[in-house]
Amino acid sequence: MCPHYPTVTPRCSQVTWELDVSEPNETFDIVILGGGSGGYAAALRAAELGLSVALVEKGKLGGTCLHNGCIPTKALLHAAEVADQTRESEQFGVKAELVGIDMAAVNSYKDGVVARLYKGLQGLLGGAKNITIVAGAGRLVAPNTVEVDGKRYTGRNIILASGSYAKSLPGLEVDGERIITSDHALVMDRVPASVIVLGGGVIGVEFASVWKSFGVDVTIIEALPRLVAAEDEESSKALERAFRKRKINFKVGKPFEKVEKTGSGVRVTIAGGETVEAELLLVAVGRGPNTAGLGYEEQGVRMDRGYVLTDERQRTSVPNVYAVGDIVPGLQLAHRGFQQGIFVAEEIAGENPAVIDEAGIPRVTYSDPELASVGLTEAKAKEQYGADKVKTYNYNLGGNGKSQILKTTGFVKLVRVEDGPVVGVHMVGARVGELIGEAQLIYNWEAYPAEVAQLVHAHPTQNEALGEAHLALAGKPLHAHA
Ligand SMILES: Cc1cc2nc3c(=O)[nH]c(=O)nc-3n(C[C@H](O)[C@H](O)[C@H](O)COP(=O)(O)OP(=O)(O)OC[C@H]3O[C@@H](n4cnc5c(N)ncnc54)[C@H](O)[C@@H]3O)c2cc1C
């Protein structure tokens, strides 16, 4: 159906090109710029609340997480786990032999998962009666208007959700062949012989983990003094121990200096003049906000180094313009984007939602072993409350039956302030990402160790490790020392 006002959209071809396209021609309660985790979650919740939404997306609905991030990487990590289990099957009495990695088949499994989820999302968004999906690149041309291919969409409210891109470093030119980002790594049709991973953050260690399981010689180079430096120091150390055991090479505290192409690959020079050579260099030095040239600053949105600044209610400096997801400084995680999107939709609908506590957002690194955490690290807690006020307890997974069955090692570490609630949970070990659900409830509900200790945990599960750690911290350890 054609709108009542002048338009030049192809489906309304009876309208001539002489019309003044600078006139706002469609008005919505909300216009959302970007259909990734933050943008589409806002659209779905707003539509549910009866608000009309225009969702502008230049690529594929679902954004980075679905197409180039969370989902495809976790599919690769699962294939990597299957490879390792095959290799190590004899320790469980199962005779199997790993004869190789068929990247075409791995990719077809990975792409199948993405395609099914994409289809579901398209159906969900396309079927929502209050959501108009606008395909094309949008630009903020007035504080309340987004322009897409010459057509203007006006919103009583605007949500900026344009996401992020893989950053590089000065002098480091990504060519997509020998020097690649995660976007290229996710569509590779072969298993390289050797890779240097520049950056030991979450994305870097996840790819290092996958490639090692696929038989690649991997070296991580990290400028900071430890891998996954944003995590609790003990978690970093445990990951480094495990990676050493897996023969994943890493050099920490070694800033990158330069890269040169050699006959067959790349040579990277790091601080001190040391060089490392490999077939490929994966640049995993973080993600930058996708905001350049989108008109945000011109319309008065306050920015800092390309990021959009918001208050705790996701409001930018321009009235009725909100921002969510990776363009807002903080954790660049899909579930943070989802939650911020839902929050803004409810805020606009007048539901007065509770402010999101950034520390309460769960963080999982899906390498082998996994790392999972919520709340404050021990160091942050000491900084915030004073070193003498902070207590910690480490429960070793060696005492947990299910972990023994899985033959995994690691720990559950609790951080508590004096006799108060638990303010941080940090876990390392196979599958601990699945334990984060309980951990985040403990943190976000400000549970006391004694309250968690009285809850019954099923046996044998890894969740019991959380229960046991709380029993110990409450002064009544069962299979551990207080
Ligand atoms: C390799 C990798 C692995 C990851 N793994 C995880 C994980 O396991 N768990 C997790 O929580 N997070 C993970 N992330 C992070 C997660 O993907 C992001 O935090 C999340 O996608 C951010 O959501 P967003 O909505 O802010 O942005 P995006 O998902 O990037 O979406 C932004 C959308 O805006 C669109 N857009 C941009 N500019 C315009 C424009 N001008 N007009 C129209 N549309 C536009 C883009 O096409 C895109 O679809 C991973 C990221 C990467 C790269």
Side-chain angles (χ1 to χ4, degrees):
M1 193 188 77
C2 285
H4 317 293
Y5 9 71
T7 179
V8 291
T9 52
R11 66 200 163 119
C12 300
S13 51
Q14 73 273 28
V15 180
T16 65
W17 287 93
E18 286 94 70
L19 292 171
D20 178 6
V21 293
S22 63
E23 280 294 301
N25 50 15
E26 287 205 55
T27 301
F28 296 84
D29 290 319
I30 311 179
V31 177
I32 304 174
L33 186 45
S37 308
Y40 88 69
L44 287 172
R45 184 68 184 123
E48 223 169 64
L49 291 164
L51 301 171
S52 63
V53 176
L55 179 61
V56 181
E57 172 53 55
K58 69 173 182 181
K60 289 182 175 171
L61 291 169
T64 305
C65 177
L66 177 54
H67 302 283
N68 313 97
C70 329
I71 300 297
T73 49
K74 269 76 255 181
L76 288 184
L77 280 153
H78 184 65
E81 186 184 338
V82 173
D84 284 334
Q85 285 185 344
T86 309
R87 231 179 243 121
E88 293 155 14
S89 58
E90 267 204 60
Q91 62 176 318
F92 303 101
V94 177
K95 287 191 183 299
E97 199 186 339
L98 182 68
V99 292
I101 306 293
D102 175 352
M103 259 335 272
V106 170
N107 284 333
S108 126
Y109 149 68
K110 161 180 73 71
D111 297 344
V113 175
V114 172
R116 278 191 297 282
L117 292 170
Y118 183 39
K119 197 168 167 212
L121 183 65
Q122 283 174 303
L124 203 60
L125 288 163
K129 70 174 168 29
N130 290 343
I131 301 178
T132 301
I133 296 166
V134 181
R139 194 168 182 281
L140 196 66
V141 292
N144 64 351
T145 304
V146 172
E147 188 175 282
V148 186
D149 295 332
K151 182 169 175 182
R152 294 185 165 205
Y153 299 84
T154 294
R156 284 176 267 278
N157 302 275
I158 300 281
I159 304 178
L160 308 176
S162 46
S164 61
Y165 65 92
K167 277 198 302 197
S168 187
L169 295 175
L172 185 50
E173 202 178 312
V174 172
D175 63 10
E177 285 176 6
R178 284 196 237 168
I179 304 177
I180 62 173
T181 67
S182 59
D183 292 343
H184 308 108
L186 281 170
V187 293
M188 271 175 55
D189 56 5
R190 68 197 167 84
V191 178
S194 55
V195 180
I196 298 168
V197 176
L198 187 61
V202 177
I203 292 175
V205 302
E206 287 187 354
F207 274 104
S209 191
V210 168
W211 273 320
K212 187 66 199 182
S213 303
F214 285 175
V216 180
D217 181 17
V218 182
T219 304
I220 304 172
I221 294 171
E222 169 57 57
L224 293 172
R226 55 192 169 93
L227 297 180
V228 284
E231 291 295 335
D232 192 274
E233 195 165 344
E234 284 188 68
S235 300
S236 290
K237 293 292 163 210
L239 181 72
E240 290 179 2
R241 270 195 305 278
F243 271 17
R244 241 177 246 122
K245 218 166 146 193
R246 291 185 63 198
K247 302 204 172 4
I248 296 176
N249 311 307
F250 57 89
K251 296 173 187 295
V252 290
K254 301 280 180 190
F256 162 88
E257 279 190 351
K258 65 172 178 180
V259 60
E260 300 152 280
K261 289 190 186 164
T262 60
S264 57
V266 289
R267 181 186 304 118
V268 171
T269 307
I270 53 180
E274 190 183 346
T275 59
V276 189
E277 294 196 23
E279 192 180 319
L280 284 181
L281 172 65
L282 171 73
V283 182
V285 294
R287 295 188 58 86
N290 203 350
T291 53
L294 299 188
Y296 299 175
E297 212 150 18
E298 290 93 316
Q299 299 310 323
V301 174
R302 210 152 66 81
M303 320 267 293
D304 179 23
R305 283 162 284 179
Y307 286 93
V308 177
L309 298 178
T310 69
D311 65 8
E312 59 176 17
R313 304 199 79 78
Q314 308 304 135
R315 290 178 292 213
T316 70
S317 53
V318 177
N320 299 93
V321 177
Y322 299 82
V324 299
D326 283 7
I327 58 170
V328 181
L331 293 167
Q332 289 179 314
L333 291 170
H335 42 280
R336 171 180 179 260
F338 290 142
Q339 198 56 29
Q340 290 179 340
I342 293 167
F343 176 92
V344 172
E346 294 182 350
E347 180 81 352
I348 290 169
E351 303 257 304
N352 195 27
V355 164
I356 302 164
D357 169 13
E358 186 89 2
I361 296 170
R363 310 167 291 259
V364 180
T365 304
Y366 298 84
S367 48
D368 172 18
E370 289 187 348
L371 267 63
S373 65
V374 65
L376 305 180
T377 61
E378 181 179 344
K380 270 262 152 36
K382 285 181 170 164
E383 204 181 293
Q384 203 163 312
Y385 297 102
D388 54 326
K389 305 264 188 310
V390 173
K391 290 181 192 163
T392 64
Y393 183 80
N394 261 48
Y395 178 83
N396 191 314
L397 290 186
N400 174 256
K402 186 61 189 271
S403 299
Q404 286 294 314
I405 292 165
L406 295 173
K407 284 190 176 277
T408 189
T409 55
F411 60 79
V412 170
K413 172 176 174 175
L414 304 180
V415 182
R416 178 188 201 185
V417 178
E418 290 193 313
D419 294 325
V422 170
V423 296
V425 181
H426 305 274
M427 302 179 283
V428 180
R431 302 185 188 179
V432 295
E434 299 297 331
L435 308 187
I436 199 65
E438 179 175 0
Q440 67 165 343
L441 292 181
I442 292 168
Y443 171 84
N444 285 298
W445 282 347
E446 299 177 7
Y448 280 66
E451 292 171 317
V452 183
Q454 71 185 15
L455 301 174
V456 181
H457 290 79
H459 177 73
T461 61
Q462 283 182 296
N463 265 89
E464 277 178 297
L466 265 169
E468 294 261 355
H470 283 85
L471 275 166
L473 201 56
K476 38 185 182 175
L478 190 61
H479 298 95
H481 299 291

